[in-house]
Amino acid sequence: MKYLAPSILSADFWNLQKDITATLDGRADIIHFDVMDGLFVPNITVGPYVLECLKKHIPNTTFDAHLMIKDPDRYIKDFVEAGASMISVHIEEVVHIHRTIELIKHLGAKAGVAINPGTSLEVLDEILYYVDFVLLMSVNPGFGGQSFIERSIYRAKSLKQKIKDKNLNVLIEMDGGLKLENIHLVKDYVDIFVIGSGIFKAPDITAMTKSLKQVLSDV
Ligand code: DX5
Ligand code: ZN
């Protein structure tokens, strides 16, 4: 099963309700919620209160909080309580990654480790045994609308092989620069497709969501 996760970073925040509803009308599976603190990445976005407001109105929607912040342990509980059922933290930031992953799982959410394009996949070797998913960044985190880094195709392929070799059940989520025109490049390796500008900057958000879902459902 392939999942489509619109990233609301590229939504029109004046029309957030309308934009999110448009993706759900197109049968988006997960809402990707990017959290940035201006320190780990050079941008600032939204926090648990915004997530809580969204979750209150669409309680059956799965929210995936991608924490691009310093010392994320401080806020994991807040995001779970606000309604995130998937949480990822960056391997580049978290020193005691095993402890943090266990904390996320203990709080009842699916735990993910996120990895930047410039970080070797080898650092995942041990933590792969504990996570539910890996968030493979295909741009440098911080902004929507950046170009897809081509080497991410190879990285997705080798990560999938690694997971298979270890006989693990870990999903691969890819985030950054994905669009209708290029998802076929990684379709065989990726399970969760995060798409921001490729959905929210489209003239018809629902139609674009449906087209993406169609491509992902074609075998
Ligand atoms: C980037 C974020 C992404 C971003 C993707 O730091 O993690 O989720 O919204 O946006 P696009 O799809 O426009 O690259
Ligand atoms: Zn993200």
Side-chain angles (χ1 to χ4, degrees):
M1 164 94 188
K2 306 283 181 189
Y3 301 92
L4 179 62
S7 161
I8 59 166
L9 185 61
S10 295
D12 173 2
F13 274 60
W14 176 256
N15 286 308
L16 199 49
Q17 176 189 355
K18 188 163 121 301
D19 279 10
I20 292 176
T21 305
T23 69
L24 297 176
D25 288 346
R27 300 237 173 276
D29 303 288
I30 294 165
I31 296 297
H32 185 81
F33 192 88
D34 286 307
V35 182
M36 308 185 186
D37 64 353
L39 292 168
F40 179 69
V41 289
N43 195 4
I44 298 176
T45 58
V46 282
Y49 179 65
V50 174
L51 177 54
E52 187 185 325
C53 293
L54 299 178
K55 184 75 180 177
K56 191 165 78 185
H57 293 284
I58 41 174
N60 298 326
T61 300
T62 299
F63 281 93
D64 166 32
H66 176 193
L67 304 187
M68 290 161 276
I69 59 176
K70 284 271 168 203
D71 196 3
D73 288 24
R74 296 174 296 154
Y75 292 103
I76 287 168
K77 191 161 180 277
D78 291 350
F79 279 102
V80 173
E81 285 175 357
S85 48
M86 296 170 66
I87 297 211
S88 60
V89 295
H90 272 263
I91 189 97
E92 296 84 3
E93 169 61 21
V94 179
V95 179
H96 303 289
I97 188 73
H98 176 267
R99 181 190 290 156
T100 302
I101 292 296
E102 291 301 305
L103 170 66
I104 297 170
K105 292 197 290 192
H106 175 74
L107 291 168
K110 298 279 184 206
V113 61
I115 182 163
N116 286 336
T119 305
S120 168
L121 293 179
E122 280 164 30
V123 299
L124 298 176
D125 279 356
E126 197 54 35
I127 201 64
L128 272 184
Y129 291 97
Y130 303 96
V131 295
D132 296 298
F133 64 99
V134 174
L135 198 177
L136 197 55
M137 291 302 303
S138 37
V139 298
N140 288 296
F143 302 95
Q146 302 181 78
S147 301
F148 180 76
I149 297 173
E150 289 279 324
R151 227 186 107 74
S152 309
I153 305 166
Y154 167 77
R155 281 165 66 80
K157 186 177 179 182
S158 50
L159 178 59
K160 190 178 166 86
Q161 190 59 47
K162 221 184 240 296
I163 292 167
K164 196 171 166 222
D165 291 345
K166 291 177 188 286
N167 205 14
L168 294 170
N169 186 18
V170 173
L171 298 182
I172 300 179
E173 176 174 29
M174 183 166 270
D175 183 2
L178 290 173
K179 310 208 166 319
L180 186 60
E181 298 74 47
N182 65 7
I183 46 172
H184 66 278
L185 298 171
V186 290
K187 210 180 119 186
D188 291 345
Y189 320 121
V190 172
D191 305 289
I192 306 168
F193 297 76
V194 176
I195 304 186
S197 51
I199 289 179
F200 291 105
K201 303 298 183 205
D204 183 334
I205 293 173
T206 302
M208 178 52 77
T209 309
K210 283 183 180 165
S211 302
L212 286 160
K213 285 283 291 180
Q214 183 62 49
V215 173
L216 296 180
S217 67
D218 290 347
V219 190

